[in-house]
Amino acid sequence: MAHLTIIVGVVLLLLVLLYKFVITPAFLSPLSKIPNAHFSAPITSLWIQSKRRTCAGTRTICSLHQKHGPIVRLGPNELSACTPSALKTIYIGGFAKDTWYFDAFVNYGEPNMVSMLEHKPHSVQKRMVSNLYSKSFLQGSEDLQNASNHLILKRFLPIMQSVAENGVEMDVLDFFQGVGMDFTSAYLFGLTNGTNFMHDVEYRRHWLQQYKVFKEQLPQERLGCEIETWCLSMCKDAENFLQSENAKENPLATQPVVYGRLTQQLRESSKSAGTELKLETAASEMLDHLIAGHETSGITLSYLTYELSQRPSLQERLRNELLTLSPPILYSHHDASLPSARSIEALPLLDSVLQETLRLYAAAPAIQPRITPYTPTGTTIEGYTNIPGGVRVAANAYTLHRNATVFPEPLKWIPERWVDAKPERKEEMKRWFWAFGSGGRMCLGSNFAIQDMKLVVAAIYTNYTTKIVDDEGIEQADTFVSGPVGEKLVLRFQHV
Ligand code: HEM
């Protein structure tokens, strides 16, 4: 009798489990109507996890959308949705970030914009600095203009000139990440407190190696590591700079624009809460800007020069456009100053070349996961209603940028698609363009990145032609931030 009771109990338990974990997710859940990535998707995430483990997650999701349409169920509780209307629902709708961001981006155990999951604290912090990254502020910033003059005319061009004159082959992925770091750190901390990665090759390479380890660590493993200590020390230098009158007498000094504003705002809010600002709170934010800025812009510049190197006639067209700048960014004029950021921004071919690179080689092409909110009626995405709260949902730039109806011949780098496009066509392409994300969590540094990358491209192609020496492993990795799998691109520069 006792045995029978146990058997009945086990059978009942199995039936309950079957109902909860198989029948409900596969047939009864509102998600069950959405096309499955794989027959097992309603009951387990193992299939998509296996694709992610072999670094094929984003590409797999792209092929799934090509097969099944705008929305796909990847696992029992995970969706992928890739259309402008889905972007509006998920990202403009302000869904909370997935906890993955917390593990990947917290520094010093302190939150920052990228790692904050909830909307409220994030928007408070973003408001503190967002206008410093607006296009109009950046274009009018005297500090950024002075820093850019120095970085381009005194650091970048002399290095390029020596590389060209001596016929040296250059790994531009390594170098451009250093350029991105020097620009970002100069704006955050001021020119004299920032990095000099362009010149200090040994330290730059050491730092990039350390950063590779850092990226894979959990927040507690990162505590006190070299990268955290390094950024904290730049914060201390910027703090001393702000306190010292003498420092400002240095003719090279520019203000620590972002650090100064952030700490001033954080101090005000600490004061009203009756606490003291910890330097690590500001350093956490600063480190994320440095991380977000150097690698993505280094990757974008590498792919841009890779593509242009294969089109000498386009290099020439671009040079003719660049020579219309006043003054042009000629190496021989290195005592002059740079043309205004506004005039560089307005060049159509330069703009198209960068836009097309950001489309085909988005440096952050992977999913940007969010969590559906808990509401009484659920959420509707792509016509599927009653999607419950707590579902992981994401779009990705890789798929959006490969829609062949919007971008014919999507796998080809064709800047002309932007420069020659009719206004309505361009508008449609822009609706699908997602290299910097969208909504309240959109990239804070997009205008900054565009401004500094255009300046660098303008400085190169006004003076030099580029040729590929070694592009082995140039195909893009399938990771959150995606550079060439070979981790290099070697070019040769020739003076025109
Ligand atoms: C080519 C260059 C860049 C690309 C392609 C890029 C791309 C992105 C993307 C796609 C996001 C959204 C991530 C998500 O929600 O999951 C993002 C966020 C962010 N980016 Fe960038 N980024 C670039 C350069 C920069 C630069 C130069 C800075 C800072 C100086 C920066 C700072 C940030 C910050 C702080 C966030 C988080 C914003 C928030 O959560 O509100 N990025 N970036």
PDB file of all heavy atoms in Angstrom, residues 1-7:
ATOM      1  N   MET A   1       0.834  -1.220   0.000  1.00  0.00           N
ATOM      2  CA  MET A   1       0.000   0.000   0.000  1.00  0.00           C
ATOM      3  C   MET A   1       0.867   1.268   0.000  1.00  0.00           C
ATOM      4  O   MET A   1       0.645   2.194  -0.781  1.00  0.00           O
ATOM      5  CB  MET A   1      -0.910  -0.043   1.249  1.00  0.00           C
ATOM      6  CG  MET A   1      -1.930   1.099   1.299  1.00  0.00           C
ATOM      7  SD  MET A   1      -3.056   1.023  -0.101  1.00  0.00           S
ATOM      8  CE  MET A   1      -3.865   2.558   0.038  1.00  0.00           C
ATOM      9  N   ALA A   2       1.915   1.178   0.905  1.00  0.00           N
ATOM     10  CA  ALA A   2       2.843   2.323   0.995  1.00  0.00           C
ATOM     11  C   ALA A   2       3.519   2.555  -0.352  1.00  0.00           C
ATOM     12  O   ALA A   2       3.655   3.684  -0.819  1.00  0.00           O
ATOM     13  CB  ALA A   2       3.882   2.067   2.077  1.00  0.00           C
ATOM     14  N   HIS A   3       3.898   1.418  -1.016  1.00  0.00           N
ATOM     15  CA  HIS A   3       4.548   1.526  -2.326  1.00  0.00           C
ATOM     16  C   HIS A   3       3.649   2.202  -3.338  1.00  0.00           C
ATOM     17  O   HIS A   3       4.077   3.061  -4.101  1.00  0.00           O
ATOM     18  CB  HIS A   3       4.912   0.134  -2.850  1.00  0.00           C
ATOM     19  CG  HIS A   3       6.192  -0.357  -2.252  1.00  0.00           C
ATOM     20  ND1 HIS A   3       6.285  -1.507  -1.528  1.00  0.00           N
ATOM     21  CD2 HIS A   3       7.419   0.189  -2.270  1.00  0.00           C
ATOM     22  CE1 HIS A   3       7.529  -1.655  -1.108  1.00  0.00           C
ATOM     23  NE2 HIS A   3       8.241  -0.636  -1.543  1.00  0.00           N
ATOM     24  N   LEU A   4       2.394   1.787  -3.335  1.00  0.00           N
ATOM     25  CA  LEU A   4       1.427   2.342  -4.287  1.00  0.00           C
ATOM     26  C   LEU A   4       1.294   3.867  -4.095  1.00  0.00           C
ATOM     27  O   LEU A   4       1.281   4.640  -5.066  1.00  0.00           O
ATOM     28  CB  LEU A   4       0.068   1.646  -4.079  1.00  0.00           C
ATOM     29  CG  LEU A   4      -0.943   1.939  -5.196  1.00  0.00           C
ATOM     30  CD1 LEU A   4      -0.443   1.411  -6.520  1.00  0.00           C
ATOM     31  CD2 LEU A   4      -2.297   1.337  -4.841  1.00  0.00           C
ATOM     32  N   THR A   5       1.236   4.268  -2.820  1.00  0.00           N
ATOM     33  CA  THR A   5       1.117   5.713  -2.548  1.00  0.00           C
ATOM     34  C   THR A   5       2.321   6.464  -3.116  1.00  0.00           C
ATOM     35  O   THR A   5       2.185   7.527  -3.739  1.00  0.00           O
ATOM     36  CB  THR A   5       1.054   5.955  -1.015  1.00  0.00           C
ATOM     37  OG1 THR A   5       0.137   5.038  -0.470  1.00  0.00           O
ATOM     38  CG2 THR A   5       0.642   7.379  -0.703  1.00  0.00           C
ATOM     39  N   ILE A   6       3.529   5.866  -2.914  1.00  0.00           N
ATOM     40  CA  ILE A   6       4.740   6.541  -3.429  1.00  0.00           C
ATOM     41  C   ILE A   6       4.679   6.637  -4.953  1.00  0.00           C
ATOM     42  O   ILE A   6       4.941   7.687  -5.542  1.00  0.00           O
ATOM     43  CB  ILE A   6       6.010   5.779  -2.971  1.00  0.00           C
ATOM     44  CG1 ILE A   6       6.165   5.916  -1.459  1.00  0.00           C
ATOM     45  CG2 ILE A   6       7.268   6.315  -3.674  1.00  0.00           C
ATOM     46  CD1 ILE A   6       7.217   5.046  -0.839  1.00  0.00           C
ATOM     47  N   ILE A   7       4.273   5.500  -5.586  1.00  0.00           N
ATOM     48  CA  ILE A   7       4.223   5.505  -7.064  1.00  0.00           C
ATOM     49  C   ILE A   7       3.230   6.551  -7.563  1.00  0.00           C
ATOM     50  O   ILE A   7       3.525   7.352  -8.456  1.00  0.00           O
ATOM     51  CB  ILE A   7       3.862   4.094  -7.608  1.00  0.00           C
ATOM     52  CG1 ILE A   7       5.041   3.149  -7.339  1.00  0.00           C
ATOM     53  CG2 ILE A   7       3.571   4.141  -9.106  1.00  0.00           C
ATOM     54  CD1 ILE A   7       4.734   1.688  -7.530  1.00  0.00           C
TER      55      ILE A   7
END
